[in-house]
């Protein structure tokens, strides 16, 4: 049950901050547009230059390569990225249980990326991420492009994964009701006074 701890994180566009997310818990990150929510997740994932120390359990980010860190702490952007022709090519071990949980049959793996709607791409990006069995998740509006039914399915699947793996999760959401459903703590990010509730 590794905790995700952010110590003295410094990044241009963000106020210096500390955060602690216990293993098995979810922090819902909210804030106005431009407050730095995506910048924060990208900094934690070591996708942008930043300073400070981040630990996952006993492991320090500073002792790992960026690739090793991102295999354990996976960032899921609000718009998924696909770089090969078919769905199957994007991961080795697709879970049929996870696919079914989000409304797909296994034949979706043979589909061309070009035929997928934006909502299908986003749901498959969630399955793709979970297939890598991350120790921690950084979710940037993962249900923003989904209808209420599919949003609920994503929430339930991520909750199921978290219960099994006791992963710490930071989940960006503009939806206050969603935050109540999925999180243990809400953190309001603004450029002047970050506020934990």
């Amino acid at each position: 049950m590794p905790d995700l701890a952010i110590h003295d994180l410094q990044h241009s566009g963000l106020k210096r901050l500390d955060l602690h997310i216990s293993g098995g818990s979810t922090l819902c990150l909210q804030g106005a547009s431009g407050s730095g929510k995506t910048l924060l997740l990208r900094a934690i994932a070591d996708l942008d230059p930043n300073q400070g120390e981040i630990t996952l359990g006993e492991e320090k980010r500073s002792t790992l390569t960026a690739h090793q860190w991102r295999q354990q702490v996976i960032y899921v952007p609000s718009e998924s990225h696909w770089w090969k022709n078919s769905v199957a090519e994007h991961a080795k071990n697709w879970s049929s249980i996870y696919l079914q949980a989000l409304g797909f049959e296994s034949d979706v793996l043979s589909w061309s990326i070009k035929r997928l709607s934006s909502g299908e791409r986003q749901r498959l990006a969630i399955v793709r991420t979970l297939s890598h069995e991350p120790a921690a998740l950084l979710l940037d509006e993962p249900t923003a492009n989904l209808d209420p039914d599919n949003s609920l399915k994503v929430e339930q699947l991520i909750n199921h994964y978290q219960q099994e793996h006791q992963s710490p999760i930071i989940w960006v959401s503009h939806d206050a009701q969603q935050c109540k459903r999925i999180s243990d703590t809400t953190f309001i990010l603004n450029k002047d006074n970050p506020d934990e509730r």
Side-chain angles (χ1 to χ4, degrees):
M1 187 186 296
D3 292 359
L4 182 65
I6 295 98
H7 306 285
D8 196 27
L9 183 70
Q10 300 170 56
H11 181 292
S12 60
L14 287 175
K15 181 173 176 140
R16 182 181 300 188
L17 57 80
D18 299 279
L19 283 173
H20 185 275
I21 303 93
S22 299
S25 69
T26 299
L27 181 145
C28 185
L29 185 62
Q30 293 193 302
S33 178
S35 60
K37 301 181 297 295
T38 296
L39 288 178
L40 176 57
L41 295 193
R42 288 182 59 85
I44 295 169
D46 205 18
L47 289 164
D48 296 329
N50 64 92
Q51 295 178 318
E53 185 62 271
I54 302 177
T55 59
L56 180 65
E58 299 299 316
E59 285 198 288
K60 294 182 178 181
R61 185 182 68 173
S62 60
T63 65
L64 302 174
T65 67
H67 178 70
Q68 288 171 327
W69 178 255
R70 290 178 205 140
Q71 285 182 318
Q72 297 184 66
V73 181
I74 296 186
Y75 168 64
V76 181
S78 56
E79 293 187 14
S80 62
H81 302 290
W82 300 83
W83 51 93
K84 297 186 179 180
N85 292 324
S86 72
V87 173
E89 294 176 276
H90 289 85
K92 290 182 179 178
N93 300 307
W94 291 86
S95 165
S96 59
I97 294 173
Y98 293 167
L99 286 169
Q100 289 173 7
L102 296 189
F104 296 106
E105 298 298 330
S106 293
D107 69 340
V108 73
L109 298 179
S110 66
W111 291 9
S112 165
I113 297 302
K114 293 179 180 178
R115 71 171 279 187
L116 299 174
S117 69
S118 60
E120 288 171 335
R121 289 184 186 204
Q122 193 62 16
R123 284 183 286 145
L124 285 168
I126 297 294
V127 178
R128 179 180 70 191
T129 297
L130 298 183
S131 74
H132 293 292
E133 297 190 348
L137 284 164
L138 308 173
L139 306 173
D140 195 352
E141 297 276 10
T143 63
N145 297 320
L146 303 180
D147 60 41
D149 183 54
N150 280 313
S151 293
L152 188 58
K153 288 177 181 177
V154 167
E155 290 175 18
Q156 291 170 340
L157 176 57
I158 291 172
N159 179 66
H160 173 75
Y161 181 87
Q162 184 179 54
Q163 295 306 310
E164 283 193 335
H165 297 268
Q166 291 299 296
S167 306
I169 295 174
I170 301 179
W171 185 316
V172 173
S173 177
H174 67 279
D175 184 338
Q177 293 304 312
Q178 182 177 64
C179 275
K180 288 180 181 178
R181 289 193 302 271
I182 57 94
S183 71
D184 305 284
T185 307
T186 298
F187 189 87
I188 309 297
L189 187 65
N190 60 64
K191 291 187 176 180
D192 299 316
N193 298 301
D195 178 29
E196 191 166 0
R197 298 179 183 175

